[in-house]
Amino acid sequence: MANISTSDMRSGAKVMVDGDPCAIIDNEHVKPGKGQAFNRLKLRNLRSGRVWERTFKSGDTLESADVMDTDMEYLYTDGEFWHFMAVDGSFEQHAADETAVGDTVKWLKEQEKYVVTLYNGAPLAVAAPNFIELEVKDTDPGVKGDTANGGSKPAYLVTGAMVRVPLFINIGEVLRVDTRTGEYVSRATGK
């Protein structure tokens, strides 16, 4: 792998620190009045998600990490692993474990595309698209006269996620949900 100088590191770059792949969140160059200049890096461990700061002398180098973000289609789960397939024409399949999937599990829908971060060919993290359309599996029945700004109720989606929805939403409706906040956006259109 190539080495990157601390002065060339940018936010989002992936490097190896203490044997783990890390993403650089921030790189601050510090030149004290006395002594040698240094870089204060804010890093996120891609395996554990832990964020910490570390200082390096200016000009030090770090090994770049073999990490790739790849678009993949979710296929199925076998109870222990979640299986994804590359959509680039290679049809290569990867099995992600519970730590790689994390909270994205409540937004996993078959035949939907997700961004899978691969490290040495193994899934490290799975990111859901910003918006996803899911069917309501269970909620209290809507009553005639309920309006969009009259309140909200819990609705359980087919993936198991719970979303607060307006009172007029019924079982079987397909909703557009923001996966970043877990909030109802609208009814799905065109389905």
Side-chain angles (χ1 to χ4, degrees), residues 73-85 93-102 104-106 108 116 123 126:
E73 183 178 308
Y74 172 61
L75 299 174
Y76 65 94
T77 181
D78 59 14
E80 186 178 354
F81 293 100
W82 289 262
H83 297 268
F84 294 85
M85 179 180 67
Q93 292 187 18
H94 294 277
D97 62 8
E98 190 174 356
T99 55
V101 173
T104 307
V105 72
K106 61 186 174 186
L108 289 180
V116 179
V126 177

Side-chain angles (χ1 to χ4, degrees), residues 16 31 40 45 49 58 61 73 76 89 91 96 116 121 137 161 165 171 176:
M16 295 295 290
K31 187 170 182 186
R40 183 177 297 124
N45 186 314
S58 274
T61 59
E73 183 178 308
Y76 65 94
F91 304 108
V116 179
K137 184 171 99 178
V165 298
I171 295 173
R176 186 171 171 84

Side-chain angles (χ1 to χ4, degrees), residues 19-109:
D20 281 337
C22 297
I24 295 173
I25 298 171
D26 189 35
N27 182 2
E28 178 186 5
H29 180 74
V30 179
K31 187 170 182 186
K34 207 174 186 184
Q36 185 178 3
F38 62 91
N39 287 65
R40 183 177 297 124
L41 296 179
K42 191 172 189 179
L43 303 158
R44 172 180 285 118
N45 186 314
L46 294 175
R47 287 188 194 192
S48 65
R50 186 174 77 99
V51 175
W52 81 101
E53 286 188 2
R54 185 130 173 222
T55 57
F56 295 92
K57 288 187 232 169
S58 274
D60 278 359
T61 59
L62 291 173
E63 181 183 352
S64 63
D66 184 22
V67 176
M68 293 185 336
D69 288 337
T70 311
D71 286 336
M72 295 193 151
E73 183 178 308
Y74 172 61
L75 299 174
Y76 65 94
T77 181
D78 59 14
E80 186 178 354
F81 293 100
W82 289 262
H83 297 268
F84 294 85
M85 179 180 67
V87 294
D88 60 5
S90 68
F91 304 108
E92 188 176 349
Q93 292 187 18
H94 294 277
D97 62 8
E98 190 174 356
T99 55
V101 173
D103 288 341
T104 307
V105 72
K106 61 186 174 186
W107 309 118
L108 289 180
K109 177 182 171 185

Side-chain angles (χ1 to χ4, degrees), residues 125-140:
V126 177
N130 292 343
F131 299 98
I132 194 162
E133 295 180 356
L134 296 168
E135 184 180 339
V136 176
K137 184 171 99 178
D138 186 34
T139 189
D140 295 335

Side-chain angles (χ1 to χ4, degrees), residues 4-27:
I4 305 172
S5 170
T6 53
S7 59
D8 296 331
M9 292 180 188
R10 302 289 174 254
S11 181
K14 313 285 194 295
V15 295
M16 295 295 290
V17 178
D18 298 333
D20 281 337
C22 297
I24 295 173
I25 298 171
D26 189 35
N27 182 2

